[in-house]
Amino acid sequence: MDTRVVKPEQARIFMEGLEVCREYFKTDLITFGTSELQPGQTGAVDTGHKNSHEVFFVSKGKVLLRCGNTLYQLNEGDAQLIPPGEPHQLTNIGDCTALVTWSLTPSEYI
């Protein structure tokens, strides 16, 4: 596999509700991207990935993660492991843009 740098403007951009998502890498083994939400915005419900764990890492801001029926407050620097097949949704509960990085493996996102 080649080593490469992907800039935000080169990433595949898509929306999940009001959530701006950027997919930087997708291979057979891993998917990596980011989600950005403005204060007060909530993204769409992601129905989960039946064969993949997903990791969220809050790079900037503060979010509320609904994972199944449980709510988690995640602050900058926090990480959360989402089990396979678990529906989840992000809400920005801070006063600045929230940036969450996410990764899952094996890859089966979108």
Side-chain angles (χ1 to χ4, degrees):
M1 180 173 150
D2 63 316
T3 301
R4 62 185 171 173
V5 174
V6 177
K7 305 286 187 185
E9 61 274 10
Q10 297 170 313
R12 182 175 79 85
I13 299 174
F14 59 98
M15 301 292 291
E16 287 193 347
L18 298 174
E19 186 177 334
V20 178
C21 301
R22 286 180 173 83
E23 181 183 272
Y24 286 82
F25 296 102
K26 181 176 175 139
T27 72
D28 292 339
L29 300 176
I30 193 167
T31 300
F32 176 82
T34 62
S35 290
E36 185 177 295
L37 287 162
Q38 298 305 312
Q41 288 184 331
T42 297
V45 174
D46 184 323
T47 58
H49 314 282
K50 72 175 191 168
N51 296 312
S52 297
H53 285 94
E54 185 169 12
V55 174
F56 280 0
F57 177 80
V58 182
S59 299
K60 179 181 173 189
K62 184 188 318 186
V63 296
L64 189 66
L65 169 63
R66 183 170 60 92
C67 192
N69 294 319
T70 306
L71 296 174
Y72 300 93
Q73 181 175 315
L74 302 176
N75 300 310
E76 196 167 307
D78 290 346
Q80 177 82 30
L81 179 66
I82 300 170
E86 190 71 39
H88 48 280
Q89 182 178 38
L90 289 171
T91 300
N92 182 345
I93 58 172
D95 56 4
C96 68
T97 301
L99 182 65
V100 176
T101 62
W102 42 264
S103 184
L104 56 142
T105 186
S107 179
E108 65 172 49
Y109 198 84
I110 300 179

